[in-house]
């Protein structure tokens, strides 16, 4: 791509992986629904918005197992949590030739999360996922987690992305505090499964001792990374 002008090793951010398996038929079918644009900025935005809007945000069914946390699995769903959406979006960006990497952080949501706090037993949402994309010779963060329906229910504006500025969760809605970023783990070429398991176990040990499998909440993990 002619936009790759710095010295970063972009090959690793363009590669297909087990999790970012953009050549899989499921992902290719999802990609076929993304509007095709001739302008790179417009194309990147179309990828972001399609990943954001195609799934109802659902943080109540978390699956950390590598065989399930992959783009080809997410593409078959109608609900997804932030890491799943980030994985699929990252895979799609790479399929279109945009170097992309996965970013993770710790956030606190101050609006309408009483049910989630009940299960997590913490205010912190650990390993919130976003994507960092190389567009027009610069890296830019985007957050495809909240779809328009969940934004309407939460009475917050839909998060836009112009590819020039980082698009992270809004800190305030009017004067009310909304999303608060507590920590950034950084960006990764692939899903850091071991770190994800370690951090979630440190914050939510009860989910690993007594996994919950209910209609309203479920949690799966892999013993391989503990």
């Amino acid at each position: 791509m002619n936009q790759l002008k710095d010295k970063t090793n972009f090959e690793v951010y363009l590669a297909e992986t087990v999790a970012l398996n953009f050549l899989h038929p499921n992902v290719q079918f999802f990609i076929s629904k993304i509007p095709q644009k001739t302008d790179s900025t417009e194309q990147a935005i179309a990828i972001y918005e399609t990943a954001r809007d195609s799934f109802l945000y659902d943080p109540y069914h978390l699956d950390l197992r590598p065989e399930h946390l992959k783009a080809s699995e997410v593409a078959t769903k109608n609900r997804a949590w932030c890491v799943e959406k980030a994985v699929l979006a990252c895979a799609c960006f790479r399929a279109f030739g945009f170097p992309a990497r996965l970013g993770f952080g710790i956030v606190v949501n101050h609006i309408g999360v009483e049910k989630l706090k009940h299960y997590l037993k913490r205010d912190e949402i650990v390993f919130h996922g976003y994507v960092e994309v190389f567009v027009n010779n610069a890296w830019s963060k985007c957050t495809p987690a909240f779809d328009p329906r969940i934004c309407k229910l939460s009475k917050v504006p839909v998060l836009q992305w112009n590819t020039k500025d980082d698009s992270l969760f809004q800190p305030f809605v009017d004067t009310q505090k909304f999303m608060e970023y507590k920590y950034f783990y950084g960006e990764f070429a692939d899903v850091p499964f071991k770190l994800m398991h370690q951090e979630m176990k440190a914050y939510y040990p009860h989910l690993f001792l007594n996994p919950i499998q209910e209609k309203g909440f479920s949690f799966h993990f892999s013993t391989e990374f503990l």
Side-chain angles (χ1 to χ4, degrees), residues 26-185:
N26 291 348
V27 184
Q28 288 294 308
F29 179 72
F30 181 81
I31 287 172
S32 71
K33 297 185 289 185
I34 299 174
Q36 305 289 309
K37 306 290 185 178
T38 56
D39 177 77
S40 60
T41 297
E42 293 180 0
Q43 186 62 72
I45 293 172
I47 296 167
Y48 163 73
E49 292 182 346
T50 304
R52 182 194 66 193
D53 299 349
S54 296
F55 310 88
L56 181 67
Y57 173 67
D58 182 1
Y60 301 107
H61 299 283
L62 312 178
D63 197 332
L64 313 187
R65 296 173 295 180
E67 61 269 29
H68 293 279
L69 189 52
K70 56 176 63 175
S72 58
E73 290 289 312
V74 181
T76 66
K77 299 183 175 184
N78 53 30
R79 293 171 174 261
W81 59 300
C82 60
V83 174
E84 290 177 322
K85 286 193 175 189
V87 164
L88 180 59
C90 190
C92 290
F93 280 119
R94 291 187 184 186
F96 275 87
F98 292 98
R101 51 198 183 193
L102 295 164
F104 301 95
I106 297 175
V107 299
V108 174
N109 186 340
H110 294 276
I111 296 179
V113 287
E114 289 75 15
K115 177 183 174 182
L116 188 59
K117 288 183 180 180
H118 167 74
Y119 287 108
L120 298 182
K121 303 186 186 301
R122 296 286 299 252
D123 290 334
E124 297 91 345
I125 299 173
V126 176
F127 250 79
H128 153 69
Y130 60 91
V131 185
E132 190 170 52
V133 189
F134 194 80
V135 187
N136 298 323
N137 206 41
W139 288 102
S140 179
K141 296 178 177 63
C142 62
T143 309
F146 285 3
D147 57 279
R149 180 181 172 187
I150 203 69
C151 287
K152 184 177 181 179
L153 291 172
S154 301
K155 298 180 181 179
V156 299
V158 177
L159 192 62
Q160 305 295 334
W161 179 52
N162 62 15
T163 75
K164 297 178 182 178
D165 305 303
D166 289 341
S167 180
L168 298 172
F169 281 133
Q170 308 95 318
F172 291 92
V173 177
D174 295 327
T175 59
Q176 184 177 1
K177 186 177 285 188
F178 178 38
M179 298 297 297
E180 181 180 1
Y181 283 83
K182 292 289 191 179
Y183 182 76
F184 284 95
Y185 293 99

Side-chain angles (χ1 to χ4, degrees), residues 186-206:
E187 286 76 45
F188 303 81
D190 205 350
V191 180
F193 285 105
K194 186 174 183 64
L195 180 61
M196 180 185 292
H197 277 71
Q198 290 174 339
E199 285 296 291
M200 284 200 171
K201 187 176 182 182
Y203 279 83
Y204 317 127
H206 61 288

